[in-house]
Amino acid sequence: MNLKLTEENRSKVIANSIVVVIGITVFFAFYRFDELRAGLDVMIGKLFPFIFGFAIAFLLDKPMMMFEEFLKKVGLKGRGVRNLAAILALILGFIMVSALLWLLIPQVLTSLFDLIDKAPGYLGHFFDFVNDVIVRENIDISYLYEFLGTDFEKELITNLTSFFSSSLPQMVTLTGKVTSTFFNIILGMMAGLYIMFEKENFILGIKRTTYAFCSKPVADYLSRFAKITADIFNNFIVGKAIDSVIIGVITYVLMTIFKMPYALLLSVIVGTTNMIPVFGPFIGAIPGVFILMIIHPLQGLYFALLILAIQQFDGNILGPIILGDKLGLPSLAILFAVVIGGGMFGILGMFIGVPIFAVIYTAVREVVEYRLNKKNLKVELNTKVE
């Protein structure tokens, strides 16, 4: 018996087969997630120079195009214009990062070493303050000592002192690891430079491959969606970086005005963790509250209130001005992306999970709209669909 498939049925079979394959792949990816993540870690480690190079080329694309346009206006022509523009963009990025590190690292390290040196004294003063409050207010804490043990205070001071003291050797070890990656960073910069040199050729090669193996409508959609993906990542990364720098500067200025200790160190922590959506402000506030409470409990409380006020300003005023609604994600979807991304890939997953989910969300939304339009359906909340 010969079965003949119409074009419509053939499309349905292909579509359903793709859905089944994707479903099976996702199932085994979650079922063997630990092995998958270990394999990804190894692969990313091997490909780090090229991933880093692609990131450099992506972030420096607009400065490169600006340099190229300027060089053409002053009369330069030929292939060398692109190469010179790429080199200038890379130099500009290197100078900006180096200047930032040169300004921050010495002062941050000075604050960190000072904190490590004074930690035992701060802890002693903190417990003296707590004991004074207990005596003055006649607070019965016998049940607390029964739960924690009578030597809890001494053990806590010993453990925290040991933690701060061991931080220096750990920093030395970290410095060694950073040094060991220096060669990969240099390779990444070279890879990024070559990608910028040959940007159009790379794009053309991908485009030719897409049109060679896909139908024209599908290839047109993939080309358009690739641009949407690049815009989503660019808007999120650049916008979030600008927002975080501003929040870090505001934190530093206000801490300086209120004469809080370790203003630069804590502002760098707050600004850096602010890159993480939703939970970033809380992650950044915890070390500051902990450190300042040890120095003086009221300082920790004031810092917590200060961060709360700054984050309200960021969430309601600054963030919408800089980022707007460029991701097109509802608040629940952002929370979902952060939680799932963090659970799967840690801090990095919390950061990149949002733009990745925004891309998936956009793709699904467009497919749904396409299918509804094809069926001539308009689905609304209070409208009966027939």
Side-chain angles (χ1 to χ4, degrees):
M1 181 177 180
N2 295 327
L3 294 176
K4 293 185 179 181
L5 293 176
T6 64
E7 187 65 28
E8 182 179 357
N9 289 335
R10 185 180 293 107
S11 299
K12 289 181 179 180
V13 169
I14 293 173
N16 291 333
S17 300
I18 292 174
V19 170
V20 171
V21 170
I22 292 175
I24 294 173
T25 303
V26 171
F27 170 76
F28 280 105
F30 279 99
Y31 183 69
R32 296 288 186 181
F33 182 71
D34 290 337
E35 292 85 346
L36 177 64
R37 184 165 60 180
L40 285 174
D41 289 341
V42 173
M43 184 175 67
I44 290 173
K46 299 295 184 183
L47 297 176
F48 173 78
F50 301 99
I51 297 173
F52 184 63
F54 177 80
I56 289 176
F58 181 79
L59 294 174
L60 295 180
D61 181 64
K62 288 186 178 179
M64 179 187 70
M65 299 307 294
M66 291 174 61
F67 277 122
E68 185 172 4
E69 184 177 351
F70 172 77
L71 292 173
K72 288 180 179 178
K73 285 182 179 180
V74 298
L76 295 181
K77 297 180 181 179
R79 180 63 190 170
V81 175
R82 162 57 58 84
N83 296 347
L84 180 57
I87 293 172
L88 290 175
L90 185 63
I91 292 174
L92 175 64
F94 180 79
I95 290 174
M96 291 177 63
V97 172
S98 298
L100 182 64
L101 295 178
W102 181 75
L103 289 171
L104 292 181
I105 287 180
Q107 297 185 57
V108 169
L109 289 179
T110 299
S111 299
L112 189 58
F113 291 148
D114 182 71
L115 177 62
I116 292 171
D117 182 58
K118 295 180 179 179
Y122 287 147
L123 289 170
H125 291 311
F126 173 74
F127 282 110
D128 289 341
F129 173 83
V130 173
N131 289 330
D132 288 342
V133 172
I134 291 172
V135 172
R136 185 170 63 250
E137 302 297 333
N138 194 25
I139 300 173
D140 183 14
I141 59 168
S142 58
Y143 67 92
L144 186 62
Y145 276 113
E146 290 178 3
F147 177 73
L148 297 175
T150 55
D151 294 331
F152 165 73
E153 181 178 325
K154 292 181 180 179
E155 290 177 0
L156 180 60
I157 292 176
T158 301
N159 291 335
L160 288 176
T161 303
S162 175
F163 168 76
F164 282 114
S165 300
S166 63
S167 296
L168 188 58
Q170 290 175 2
M171 289 175 60
V172 173
T173 303
L174 179 62
T175 302
K177 291 181 179 179
V178 171
T179 303
S180 68
T181 62
F182 179 75
F183 182 67
N184 282 337
I185 292 175
I186 296 297
L187 286 178
M189 293 173 65
M190 294 176 61
L193 202 57
Y194 282 119
I195 292 173
M196 288 190 287
F197 286 164
E198 304 292 336
K199 184 183 79 169
E200 285 77 11
N201 289 336
F202 281 114
I203 295 175
L204 179 60
I206 295 172
K207 194 171 184 178
R208 284 170 56 85
T209 303
T210 303
Y211 277 91
F213 290 96
C214 300
S215 63
K216 189 177 184 301
V218 172
D220 289 339
Y221 173 77
L222 292 176
S223 297
R224 183 178 65 84
F225 197 73
K227 186 178 185 306
I228 293 175
T229 301
D231 289 340
I232 288 175
F233 272 85
N234 187 66
N235 291 333
F236 177 77
I237 294 173
V238 175
K240 200 63 180 171
I242 294 172
D243 177 73
S244 298
V245 169
I246 294 174
I247 290 300
V249 171
I250 291 174
T251 304
Y252 175 75
V253 171
L254 292 178
M255 288 187 70
T256 302
I257 291 174
F258 292 117
K259 298 181 180 179
M260 293 182 177
Y262 305 111
L264 183 63
L265 173 63
L266 298 182
S267 298
V268 170
I269 294 174
V270 169
T272 303
T273 57
N274 193 69
M275 290 288 292
I276 301 172
V278 184
F279 297 111
F282 302 101
I283 296 173
I286 290 173
V289 171
F290 176 73
I291 291 171
L292 294 179
M293 283 195 72
I294 291 175
I295 297 174
H296 195 287
L298 287 179
Q299 289 274 21
L301 177 61
Y302 294 153
F303 179 77
L305 294 175
L306 178 67
I307 295 300
L308 180 62
I310 291 173
Q311 293 307 325
Q312 289 299 312
F313 165 74
D314 183 31
N316 296 304
I317 300 175
L318 182 63
I321 291 175
I322 295 176
L323 294 173
D325 192 29
K326 295 176 181 177
L327 291 177
L329 284 178
S331 300
L332 182 61
I334 293 176
L335 179 62
F336 177 83
V338 172
V339 171
I340 298 301
M344 296 176 68
F345 298 104
I347 296 295
L348 180 61
M350 296 176 75
F351 174 63
I352 66 171
V354 173
I356 289 175
F357 192 81
V359 171
I360 297 172
Y361 181 85
T362 302
V364 172
R365 184 178 59 192
E366 290 195 351
V367 170
V368 169
E369 289 295 328
Y370 171 77
R371 299 289 296 178
L372 289 175
N373 291 335
K374 191 175 181 180
K375 294 179 179 181
N376 293 319
L377 292 177
K378 185 177 182 181
V379 181
E380 297 180 355
L381 183 62
N382 297 318
T383 302
K384 184 178 180 181
V385 180
E386 297 180 357

